[in-house]
Amino acid sequence: MERLLVLRLQTRGVAAQACLNGFTLAQLPAAGGVQILAVHEYTLAGANRLELVIEPQVAATEPRLAEGPRFARLQLLLPRVGQAASDEQSRCLATLDWAVEDGELYRAPTVVQQEVDIPVKFPRWRWQDAPPLPELGTLAAPVLAFAQEQAVALAKGDPEPWLVAARLRFEELAAAYQRKPADDLARWRARVQLLHAQKALRGPLPTASTLMLKPTADGRLVECLTTEGAPLLQFNRPDGGRIALPMRIAVVEGRLYVLR
């Protein structure tokens, strides 16, 4: 692989999130900053929907007055592997800009979007053909039980339940980044064993009171989050850090599959 397709979100003075084809992939607080991540596994052959959402946490559209200049920029970049994901060293496939000056009126939330044809061929991902989600209320109990089972297994150092539930995800990520699936599986097993030895896969189990389900991928997957918006599966490291395991789940004939 010579080039890596990445998403780059940069903000100052405003909270913003970046979405690609119905997936929320990056988010920054009002303090601003830069976030960069590879997005092959969320990218489609042909037309892709890119969205920049300003102040996504606001429930209803409302006017706001800018206290100081504010801006957000979302880019799809194609840098060479090993090079920085910057305008100077990358091919830019798309850019979405939003900005206001000090004292200027703007509305939140605001969505800036663009359809982008990407000159890279990807297979048809399984999440594209997943059935529409049932009512979220019916998913709370099975998703919680699933998350708790995974947390208990990982706390014991057992990587296999996750490998079974996320087998298709492992296969598709290997295809997306031109790797061998067996190598990815071996890396996962080794990582779990290492983290278990470090006592870094412990922490409180997910509970009904902390569970939040968010439809994603245009209503074909459900993202499993805490009520604070973080990944539901989280573990406490002895050094005070945290390990998070994102879960975007498809529901097929009552069974749960981690596809992203």
Side-chain angles (χ1 to χ4, degrees):
M1 179 180 293
E2 295 183 357
R3 291 184 179 269
L4 193 66
L5 183 65
V6 302
L7 179 150
R8 185 178 191 271
L9 175 64
Q10 181 179 7
T11 67
R12 185 181 66 203
V14 67
Q17 69 181 21
C19 305
L20 179 62
N21 295 320
F23 288 93
T24 299
L25 299 181
Q27 188 159 320
L28 290 171
V34 178
Q35 192 171 355
I36 300 172
L37 71 158
V39 293
H40 287 215
E41 67 268 36
Y42 306 102
T43 306
L44 308 179
N48 289 260
R49 188 172 76 254
L50 187 65
E51 295 180 330
L52 173 64
V53 186
I54 305 301
E55 302 285 6
Q57 76 282 2
V58 179
T61 303
E62 58 182 51
R64 294 193 169 192
L65 195 64
E67 299 179 5
R70 305 180 177 193
F71 85 91
R73 167 172 284 189
L74 175 59
Q75 294 177 294
L76 271 177
L77 302 172
L78 199 61
R80 292 190 179 277
V81 173
Q83 292 186 340
S86 64
D87 290 334
E88 296 78 16
Q89 299 188 52
S90 307
R91 178 183 175 187
C92 183
L93 303 180
T95 299
L96 298 181
D97 282 316
W98 178 92
V100 294
E101 298 299 328
D102 182 30
E104 188 174 343
L105 191 69
Y106 69 98
R107 289 192 172 273
T110 293
V111 180
V112 183
Q113 61 183 3
Q114 180 182 348
E115 190 172 278
V116 185
D117 281 325
I118 297 180
V120 180
K121 291 186 178 181
F122 292 100
R124 184 171 180 85
W125 307 119
R126 289 181 174 90
W127 58 260
Q128 294 177 258
D129 299 316
L133 292 169
E135 290 293 329
L136 290 187
T138 67
L139 292 178
V143 166
L144 182 60
F146 174 84
Q148 291 174 340
E149 290 169 2
Q150 294 294 333
V152 169
L154 290 170
K156 295 177 179 178
D158 182 2
E160 299 308 316
W162 182 261
L163 289 179
V164 172
R167 179 180 61 83
L168 299 177
R169 176 183 179 275
F170 279 100
E171 290 178 0
E172 293 196 327
L173 262 65
Y177 296 99
Q178 299 179 21
R179 302 189 299 249
K180 295 180 180 180
D183 292 344
D184 282 3
L185 297 180
R187 277 190 289 268
W188 170 255
R189 290 188 174 100
R191 180 169 182 251
V192 170
Q193 292 170 2
L194 175 62
L195 292 173
H196 179 256
Q198 296 173 341
K199 303 185 186 303
L201 291 175
R202 299 180 179 182
L205 290 176
T207 65
S209 62
T210 60
L211 172 65
M212 182 175 70
L213 300 179
K214 178 184 176 182
T216 191
D218 296 328
R220 295 186 179 277
L221 302 184
V222 61
E223 189 168 9
C224 307
L225 304 169
T226 69
T227 50
E228 297 178 348
L232 182 63
L233 275 185
Q234 296 190 53
F235 306 93
N236 298 324
R237 297 181 60 98
D239 60 9
R242 282 193 172 185
I243 295 170
L245 195 59
M247 293 193 302
R248 298 181 180 95
I249 291 174
V251 183
V252 183
E253 297 180 351
R255 296 189 63 181
L256 306 183
Y257 299 89
V258 180
L259 294 190
R260 287 296 179 269

